[in-house]
């Protein structure tokens, strides 16, 4: 009987962790995101009508135009997310 309770407890814990990992928002490196968000120097951009994938692809291309010194310690995925949010006219997640 005790073995069944241990197995049920472990199963419940595994289900809880699986639900938490799928519903939790992924962590974003604030510094990297903000560098991407301000990649255009806060210039005004008209809101685009492209989908998110296109905006992220363009931002990924823009990433390559910066020097490695400017991007030292910056997470590319978070930088691209910040850049794409700016291109889409969204408010920054951190300001």
């Amino acid at each position: 009987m005790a073995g069944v309770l241990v197995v049920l407890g472990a199963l419940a814990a595994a289900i809880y962790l699986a639900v938490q990992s799928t519903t939790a928002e992924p962590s974003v490196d604030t510094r990297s995101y903000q560098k991407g968000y301000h990649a255009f120097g806060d210039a005004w951009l008209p809101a685009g009508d492209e989908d998110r994938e296109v905006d992220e692809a363009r931002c990924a291309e823009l990433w390559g135009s910066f020097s490695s010194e400017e991007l030292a310690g910056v997470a590319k995925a978070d930088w691209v997310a910040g850049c794409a949010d700016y291109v889409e006219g969204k408010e920054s997640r951190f300001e």
Side-chain angles (χ1 to χ4, degrees):
M1 182 69 172
V4 172
L5 291 176
V6 170
V7 170
L8 288 176
L11 182 60
I15 291 170
Y16 173 78
L17 291 175
V19 169
Q20 288 298 326
S21 68
T22 58
T23 59
E25 186 173 316
S27 63
V28 175
D29 177 58
T30 305
R31 179 177 167 269
S32 299
Y33 176 90
Q34 288 179 330
K35 281 190 166 284
Y37 193 84
H38 298 290
F40 293 97
D42 299 327
W44 179 83
L45 296 176
D49 57 355
E50 303 290 342
D51 62 1
R52 179 72 178 198
E53 291 80 24
V54 172
D55 293 333
E56 287 179 351
R58 288 188 178 147
C59 286
E61 289 176 17
L62 180 63
W63 164 275
S65 68
F66 289 91
S67 71
S68 59
E69 290 142 7
E70 290 177 286
L71 299 174
V74 175
K76 182 177 181 179
D78 297 334
W79 188 95
V80 168
C83 175
D85 281 355
Y86 185 79
V87 169
E88 292 178 347
K90 295 181 179 177
E91 293 290 321
S92 172
R93 299 178 194 178
F94 299 103
E95 294 176 359

